[in-house]
Structures are given as structure tokens and as C-alpha cells.
Amino acid sequence: MKPVLAPGEPPDAHAAVFAAFPVLATERLVLRRLTPADAPALFGIFSDPELIRFWSSPAYTTVEDAHDLVRRIDDNFERRAGMDWGVTLRGDGRVIGKCAFHRWLPDHRRAEIGYAIARPMWRQGLATEAVRALLDFGFAAMGLHSVEAQVDPGNAGSIRTLERLGFVREGHLRENYFMHGVFNDTLVYSLLRRAYRPAP
């Protein structure tokens, strides 16, 4: 993918990234914009207590929670504050997860990545495939210099995904998130553009 932005370009150049919502395709996945029609699938994902165990918000209790999520995602995109993709299997438009760039700081060419895949689809390498698509897009089209990720120390699957993609552990923040009634630690990972190795 040819970079849209050259190093040193002003932040206004990032308007090109938001001209239209980018659809990203991999061997098994299509990452696309979420719509209100995806709310029931999102509710199924984010009402799962096992998945939410390592998520930074409570489990959804109604499908309206998922509609609120879609509205927030749309607002972030319109404000050029970040991008969330729905993760779907090729040939099946049903959403099985989501992934995002958020906390994007164009001046510093830095963004944070987040992702979640529905529990029935775990252990198939789909999170790695989806995140790799975002990294390809982020480093080439968004002109990112670094990508960061925060993960619960107990989330072994997510840690494996990050390390498989070349992320390096940079720090351990103690009890910095209050989730599910307790304070939780966070591991901080990062990946520099020069260290990233796209899939062949």
C-alpha cells in the first residue's frame, strides 16, 4: 500500500484518510463500517461475560447499548478522532468482532489500537489477521510512526496476538483501571513503523 502521507506532512493532510470510510480485506475477513443493523451482533459479542472480563466497560444489558456504541463510533469518525471497523468473515456480512484506532494524535503520528472477537471465533488467528490489516493501513495510509496497545495482564490470548505481530512490552501500570468492581493493572505495548513486518 503506497503511503498517503509522507513524513513531516501537516496534520491537515490526514483529511484524505477520512474522505470515505476505508474497507479493509484480508484472506478470511472484511473489515467495514458498522451500521445500526449490526447492533444485535454487537450486543451478542459485548454481553458475553467471558469476553467482557478483560474489556474496559461493563457487559451490555440491552441492544440499545450496542446502538449507542455505533453512534459513538460514527461521531468519532466524523470528528476525525478515530476509526472503528466491524470484523466480518468473507462471504458473510455478520459482524464477529470489532477493531479500532483510537486516541489518535496526528501531530505525533501515534494511535492506540483495540480489538475484540466474539468468543466462538477465538483460537483461529482471526484477531491477528484483523489487527494486521489495521497495522498495514495505519502505517501506510495514516502515516503512523507508532501504534500502542493496552492489555490486561491476565489476557494471555491478546498478549500472544500483540507479540506475534511484533509489539514490544513497554511498561506495567498498576491498578489504573477500575473495572468490574476492582482496580486492574495494565500492560502497555508498542510497535514502531520501522519494526513492523507486513505479511508476505
Side-chain angles (χ1 to χ4, degrees):
M1 182 184 295
K2 183 179 178 182
V4 172
L5 307 176
E9 282 191 80
D12 286 349
H14 288 73
V17 174
F18 288 91
F21 193 90
V23 175
L24 310 178
T26 70
E27 181 180 354
R28 295 181 292 172
L29 303 173
V30 174
L31 280 58
R32 59 161 176 83
R33 190 168 190 170
L34 289 160
T35 73
D38 298 314
L42 290 168
F43 173 70
I45 295 167
F46 291 106
S47 60
D48 180 351
E50 181 65 18
L51 183 144
I52 289 298
R53 189 158 62 99
F54 297 121
W55 202 245
S56 57
S57 60
Y60 289 179
T61 57
T62 70
V63 73
E64 186 58 29
D65 294 330
H67 281 290
D68 287 342
L69 173 65
V70 174
R71 286 191 285 267
R72 291 196 306 272
I73 287 171
D74 281 343
D75 181 63
N76 281 338
F77 182 73
E78 295 304 323
R79 292 187 297 108
R80 300 179 182 177
M83 281 183 277
D84 283 70
W85 285 262
V87 179
T88 70
L89 295 174
R90 274 186 178 269
D92 181 350
R94 180 176 53 89
V95 168
I96 61 164
K98 84 173 192 75
C99 51
F101 280 121
H102 55 102
R103 295 177 184 158
W104 185 27
L105 300 175
D107 287 345
H108 302 286
R109 306 294 194 268
R110 184 172 83 234
E112 186 175 322
I113 201 166
Y115 50 91
I117 298 293
R119 185 153 53 102
M121 311 303 294
W122 288 1
R123 299 180 181 86
Q124 300 179 45
L126 296 176
T128 301
E129 192 168 327
V131 173
R132 186 179 293 280
L134 261 65
L135 294 173
D136 288 345
F137 180 79
F139 287 129
M142 295 171 65
L144 295 177
H145 176 74
S146 66
V147 176
E148 299 173 3
Q150 295 192 8
V151 60
D152 188 292
N155 193 346
S158 188
I159 291 170
R160 283 194 299 270
T161 293
L162 294 172
E163 293 180 345
R164 190 178 297 125
L165 290 165
F167 280 79
V168 174
R169 179 173 161 178
E170 302 283 4
H172 186 147
L173 305 178
R174 295 177 301 162
E175 300 183 8
N176 65 319
Y177 275 97
F178 187 72
M179 301 186 304
H180 317 303
V182 296
F183 286 99
N184 292 267
D185 291 4
T186 300
L187 301 181
V188 180
Y189 280 79
S190 74
L191 176 64
L192 297 179
R193 180 176 183 166
R194 64 176 175 268
Y196 177 55
R197 299 290 181 265

